[in-house]
Amino acid sequence: MTALVRDPIPLPARPRRRPPAAGAASLALRPLLDPPRRPARVIAVFPSALYLEMRGGAEPRVLAVVTSDAGRLPNAVVVVATRREHPFRSVREGGDALVGEGRVEADGLAVRVRRWWDPSPALAAMQPAALARGVRALEDELASAGALTAAGPAGGGLDGHPDPAGLAAACAAGDLADAVEAAERIVGLGPGLTPSGDDILCGLLVSLRLVGGAVRHGEAAVRMADWIGAAVTADAGTRTTALAATLLHCAAAGGAGAEVAAVLRFVGGHEPPGGAGQSAVRRLLSVGHTSGADLAHGVLAGCRAALALSAATARSAAKVTA
């Protein structure tokens, strides 16, 4: 009997899976990234960022995956790639994703968290006089960039709307009731993934909490942040976008994006006026269409309020000891 010899049948090659990209995650995302993997949905995709919304659970519910040359939100995982490398080209909006166990997976994208970063910038203790200098320097930089005029803040998405000015005035006066009412009126106000009203509130909340916590006699500013933060996050999930609701929760806890953190360090005297300080303000103003200007206006209102409230507390303390 003659053995029949056949040529080997070629088997289809297995698709090679790319190793996961390395990422640096905000500490605010530990509740999402540490537990076992859970399903998520891709709600938006851009060249420099994609946004995933978790299905159920507490805040933070939205996670951002951003390129190294994009703005760093307080709920972001930063990947080691630039937008020119198109790291998100395989991800489709509305698609399914998985988040947990230190990984983010969506379509052809896989990211492994290799390190963590703190979204709450540490500000050194400062005297009211130092804060006053920092506020004046911020005002000068905003005015030089055209974002502040004699009539008030300019260039934001709510330019000319009365409530942001009313909110700033109520905060500076220590009027909790009026401040909360004005803040609640601008939740979700404006178009986009992060409406202008929410951007203003994020800048305000972070500044009240962090600057108020750093300046002497700043306790009233921190209490103001507590009240406003509790009010605007209570039903943010039904009044604004999912991303903006998460950012409001982050801001209420003192979480800031990298651009906001740099401006707060400038106000605190950690960056010199002009040079790096000027660059920090310009970088913030360049974020998004109006988000940068709105965040800057909120930061300015919060810093001004922290200064006014600390001065009022100091005067009251002097009267008591006199």
Side-chain angles (χ1 to χ4, degrees), residues 101-124:
E101 299 174 359
R103 295 173 67 99
V104 178
E105 298 176 357
D107 291 329
L109 176 73
V111 179
R112 165 73 71 179
V113 175
R114 299 295 184 186
R115 61 188 181 88
W116 299 86
W117 58 275
D118 190 349
S120 297
L123 301 180

Side-chain angles (χ1 to χ4, degrees), residues 174-192:
D175 190 331
L176 285 173
D178 282 357
V180 167
E181 287 183 10
E184 289 182 322
R185 286 196 296 269
I186 66 172
V187 173
L189 196 60

Side-chain angles (χ1 to χ4, degrees), residues 123-143:
L123 301 180
M126 68 182 95
Q127 296 295 325
L131 176 57
R133 290 193 296 272
V135 170
R136 287 195 298 272
L138 177 57
E139 291 169 342
D140 290 343
E141 296 295 347
L142 291 174

Side-chain angles (χ1 to χ4, degrees), residues 57-104:
E59 290 287 355
R61 291 182 57 193
V62 175
L63 176 151
V65 182
V66 304
T67 59
S68 57
D69 55 349
R72 183 184 296 189
L73 297 173
N75 61 329
V77 176
V78 185
V79 297
V80 185
T82 67
R83 71 188 71 194
R84 290 187 176 183
E85 297 174 68
H86 305 290
F88 312 132
R89 61 182 175 275
S90 64
V91 184
R92 69 188 189 281
E93 189 171 313
D96 292 328
L98 290 171
V99 176
E101 299 174 359
R103 295 173 67 99
V104 178

Side-chain angles (χ1 to χ4, degrees), residues 167-176 224 304-305 308-309 312:
L167 172 60
C171 287
D175 190 331
L176 285 173
M224 182 72 71
R304 283 172 164 174
L309 293 172

Side-chain angles (χ1 to χ4, degrees), residues 121-126 130 134 214 261-273 276-277:
L123 301 180
M126 68 182 95
V263 171
L264 290 178
R265 287 194 295 270
F266 166 56
V267 171
H270 306 299
E271 299 283 358

Side-chain angles (χ1 to χ4, degrees), residues 169-246:
C171 287
D175 190 331
L176 285 173
D178 282 357
V180 167
E181 287 183 10
E184 289 182 322
R185 286 196 296 269
I186 66 172
V187 173
L189 196 60
L193 276 175
T194 57
S196 292
D198 302 321
D199 286 329
I200 292 171
L201 287 168
C202 285
L204 174 77
L205 286 169
V206 167
S207 302
L208 285 172
R209 181 167 301 284
L210 298 182
V211 176
V215 70
R216 190 163 183 248
H217 301 302
E219 300 86 356
V222 177
R223 286 197 299 273
M224 182 72 71
D226 288 338
W227 279 83
I228 296 175
V232 301
T233 58
D235 57 353
T238 62
R239 297 189 57 196
T240 188
T241 66
L243 173 58
T246 289

